[in-house]
Amino acid sequence: MRAATPSGTERSTVVTDDGARLTVYTDGPSRAGVTVILSHGFLMTADVWRLQARELSAGGVRVVRYDQRAHGNSVPGRAALTVDRLGADLAHVVDATTPHGPIVLAGHSMGGMAALTVAARHPELIRRRRPHVALISTACSRAQLVPGNHPLHWIKAAARAGYSYPLCWFPPAADVARRRLPSRHQWALRPETQHDGGTPPPSRQAIHRTPTAQIAQLWKSLRTYNTAEMLHALDSLADRVEIVTGELDDWIPLSQTHELARQLPNARMHEPVIGAGHRLPTDRVGHAAVTQVVSRMAKEALRAPASTASPR
């Protein structure tokens, strides 16, 4: 199902093998020579990529964004909410929206973990399509509550523990509390609402329709996620893979970024963006670096020999 919108963004739905309905937003010319597929992070929506989508599509690149299952306008299917499932979803989006031609995959935070999971669980897709891959503010090992040794990080870790443990162990009580929050609050639960615009809802509305039990299920998966020693297909792409992070990332510590680089010795690791935090695609100083990397990858993918693609 596809629909054009006044914004020029085409909205469509990809249905996965377990019945999840992923809302996809496509910008740029339909016959562009290269497609960039953007995957967002935990408690965000495809809107986090709005700056990159605007600039890339204006430059003639086709851009595909989507809301992760249980986020934004996408609804979960029958399968458990895990990072492995998000990787399978990304593979579905690639096959459904861009079965042929050069592609660039860019994943931020949990979206980067989904891309790494594709490489670990679906290496045949990586070998067949040979995408350029941008791994942004992400890790190949489990999410950590404490992202570093600075005292401020410990304070933030305590705050995260203060809400993550009740979410994980008392979802019904958390739902009651969330229904009492003001409707504009990020954690408010309003399952009857829906963002009807052609563009993705802002990230502050990412989980307004998501029951706490589903958020908890995904958070537990993030806390046990690991693709280390499983990234050989991705490493074989060599300089088609680039790692980007912010100097002040308070979710993914630099130690995890360095571990990812060790797992991908042939990839290019950029120097951390000075003064930038975790939400790099929209960071006031970091967004330009993300756009530059992805834009250059799109140009390189366009110049590279065409990859083959047959149905999986």
Side-chain angles (χ1 to χ4, degrees):
M1 180 179 66
R2 298 177 181 274
T5 68
S7 67
T9 300
E10 182 183 85
R11 178 169 162 172
S12 60
T13 302
V14 170
V15 181
T16 69
D17 57 324
D18 74 316
R21 299 178 64 83
L22 307 178
T23 302
V24 177
Y25 312 91
T26 305
D27 294 280
S30 60
R31 296 184 179 276
V34 61
T35 297
V36 173
I37 299 175
L38 303 170
S39 179
H40 71 78
F42 186 50
L43 307 187
M44 301 180 195
T45 71
D47 183 61
V48 80
W49 294 107
R50 62 186 179 276
L51 300 177
Q52 289 72 36
R54 185 184 310 147
E55 185 155 338
L56 290 166
S57 61
V61 174
R62 180 172 177 258
V63 181
V64 172
R65 298 175 285 165
Y66 66 103
D67 291 335
Q68 303 275 14
R69 62 171 60 205
H71 289 67
N73 287 325
S74 294
V75 297
R78 296 179 296 275
L81 265 169
T82 65
V83 182
D84 275 3
R85 187 65 251 186
L86 300 184
D89 289 349
L90 176 53
H92 276 292
V93 170
V94 171
D95 282 350
T97 66
T98 319
H100 307 285
I103 56 173
V104 175
L105 302 180
H108 170 250
S109 192
M110 184 182 73
M113 295 177 184
L116 292 169
T117 301
V118 169
R121 308 295 186 195
H122 307 274
E124 72 285 351
L125 187 152
I126 298 297
R127 296 190 184 102
R128 174 167 49 88
R129 300 301 300 272
R130 292 188 56 78
H132 286 70
V133 181
L135 301 170
I136 300 163
S137 304
T138 194
C140 61
S141 54
R142 69 190 188 95
Q144 298 183 13
L145 284 175
V146 186
N149 296 320
H150 192 281
L152 182 60
H153 292 163
W154 286 94
I155 295 171
K156 290 183 177 181
R160 288 168 187 163
Y163 66 72
S164 65
Y165 286 111
L167 286 180
C168 289
W169 301 112
F170 305 106
D175 280 349
V176 171
R178 290 177 62 201
R179 288 191 180 96
R180 295 173 181 266
L181 292 171
S183 59
R184 294 181 63 84
H185 195 283
Q186 179 179 359
W187 284 90
L189 180 60
R190 300 289 186 273
E192 70 283 355
T193 63
Q194 185 170 3
H195 180 82
D196 294 323
T199 55
S203 289
R204 67 178 179 274
Q205 298 177 19
I207 54 170
H208 277 193
R209 301 169 62 202
T210 310
T212 304
Q214 294 175 357
I215 301 169
Q217 195 175 55
L218 187 51
W219 173 246
K220 290 177 182 178
S221 177
L222 287 167
R223 294 282 290 150
T224 58
Y225 152 86
N226 189 4
T227 53
E229 310 301 332
M230 303 170 66
L231 302 176
H232 309 296
L234 194 60
D235 195 45
S236 70
L237 298 178
D239 60 0
R240 290 179 180 232
V241 181
E242 301 189 28
I243 301 169
V244 187
T245 191
E247 174 200 24
L248 304 178
D249 194 322
D250 59 355
W251 273 103
I252 305 290
L254 286 176
S255 60
Q256 284 191 293
T257 306
H258 291 143
E259 174 57 28
L260 176 60
R262 283 192 290 272
Q263 295 291 326
L264 297 168
N266 291 316
R268 176 186 175 188
M269 180 174 169
H270 293 253
E271 288 295 321
V273 181
I274 302 300
H278 179 66
R279 195 173 292 201
L280 213 53
T282 55
D283 187 276
R284 64 181 182 84
V285 296
H287 72 87
V290 173
T291 303
Q292 183 179 39
V293 167
V294 178
S295 179
R296 177 173 44 74
M297 283 185 159
K299 292 175 183 175
E300 292 173 354
L302 196 57
R303 290 195 298 265
S307 59
T308 59
S310 56
R312 287 191 305 139

